[in-house]
Amino acid sequence: MSHDRRPAIYFVRHGESVANVADRDGGLRPDDSDRLSDRGWEQARELGRRLRGEALELIVASPMRRAQETAAGIAEVLGLAVTTDPELYEVRQSDAFYAALPAGAGRHATLSWMPTADPSYAEPGAESFDDITARVRRVQRRLHADADHRRVVAVSHHGFLHFYLGVALFGDDFGPRHVLPLYQMGHANTGISIFERVDDRVMDGVPLPGWVLTTWNDRAHL
């Protein structure tokens, strides 16, 4: 993975969390489930080693513990400063979703009701489509401003990354109907997705300048 010094945002999903392990095994999430598992810490440090040589200068992390710990693992290897963006957190599910974990949560998940709902609607405790996309756009503006001066690693979450992709690809046309197709694109723990700003991009004679998705879910380090 080699890139020039054009403005870039390297999005990474957090490492494996204790909640990820519990959900995969069908067990109850323990009280400290937001921390990284031992494997998650290993993934975070390996991610840092993978990112060596990419001229990265700043880590911006979600406030959630699993993202903060992933950022710490990367910083341990790269020696970079870590800042927190308070809105880089995961998509918030409904109260009923969390109450039904582990076995019955699926019927209350955002993916079960959002694609056919009004964009302003949300199940109790959850975020609406409009809430999430407004938050994503605010984060996007801040990351773009950071990336004008420094190449950035942003540590976030599976759902947030998919909504960010939707905003980046569809702009103002992004709607609830796009959510399920976007989620068909997987994203592994510590997968790398890169957006680069290319000001002189032309394809088939058509100018296409701006932020370009150049990599999605690169996981060669796993």
Side-chain angles (χ1 to χ4, degrees):
M1 197 164 54
S2 178
H3 299 265
D4 59 28
R5 289 300 302 270
R6 62 170 62 120
I9 303 167
Y10 284 57
F11 266 105
V12 298
R13 185 184 172 196
H14 61 82
E16 180 188 80
S17 68
V18 172
N20 291 152
V21 176
D23 292 349
R24 185 172 62 241
D25 294 343
L28 293 173
R29 294 181 178 184
D31 291 340
D32 62 348
S33 63
D34 195 34
R35 65 179 175 85
L36 291 186
S37 66
D38 290 343
R39 181 168 180 255
W41 275 105
E42 180 183 340
Q43 289 173 336
R45 296 184 180 106
E46 186 59 34
L47 177 58
R49 289 187 283 271
R50 178 80 196 286
L51 293 173
R52 281 175 174 157
E54 297 301 308
L56 297 167
E57 298 167 278
L58 176 68
I59 303 171
V60 180
S62 153
M64 290 181 153
R65 181 175 174 181
R66 57 194 184 274
Q68 289 284 313
E69 291 183 348
T70 301
I74 299 168
E76 181 182 312
V77 176
L78 298 183
L80 296 178
V82 178
T83 64
T84 299
D85 188 311
E87 292 192 299
L88 200 53
Y89 57 84
E90 180 59 296
V91 170
R92 190 169 64 245
Q93 300 273 5
S94 68
D95 296 336
F97 172 89
Y98 296 111
L101 286 171
R107 67 180 182 273
H108 301 292
T110 294
L111 291 183
S112 72
W113 55 265
M114 182 175 285
T116 57
D118 185 277
S120 63
Y121 173 79
E123 294 283 323
E127 294 175 280
S128 69
F129 178 87
D130 285 345
D131 290 337
I132 299 167
T133 53
R135 175 163 66 89
V136 166
R137 288 189 172 99
R138 291 191 295 269
V139 172
Q140 184 185 59
R141 286 193 293 271
R142 290 192 289 270
L143 289 175
H144 286 181
D146 282 334
D148 277 338
H149 309 288
R150 295 168 290 185
R151 289 166 68 85
V152 177
V153 181
V155 185
S156 190
H157 305 268
H158 185 275
F160 184 95
L161 282 164
H162 286 81
F163 275 85
Y164 191 98
L165 180 62
V167 168
L169 291 179
F170 297 109
D172 291 340
D173 292 328
F174 183 36
R177 69 189 184 281
H178 296 121
V179 172
L180 287 179
L182 284 171
Y183 272 71
Q184 288 291 95
M185 301 180 68
H187 210 285
N189 290 119
T190 68
I192 303 167
S193 294
I194 305 171
F195 291 84
E196 296 180 293
R197 198 181 73 212
V198 186
D199 296 328
D200 56 355
R201 184 167 181 254
V202 177
M203 182 172 292
D204 296 332
V206 177
L208 292 171
W211 286 89
V212 179
L213 175 66
T214 59
T215 303
W216 178 261
N217 192 31
D218 180 343
R219 51 182 184 171
H221 53 288
L222 293 175

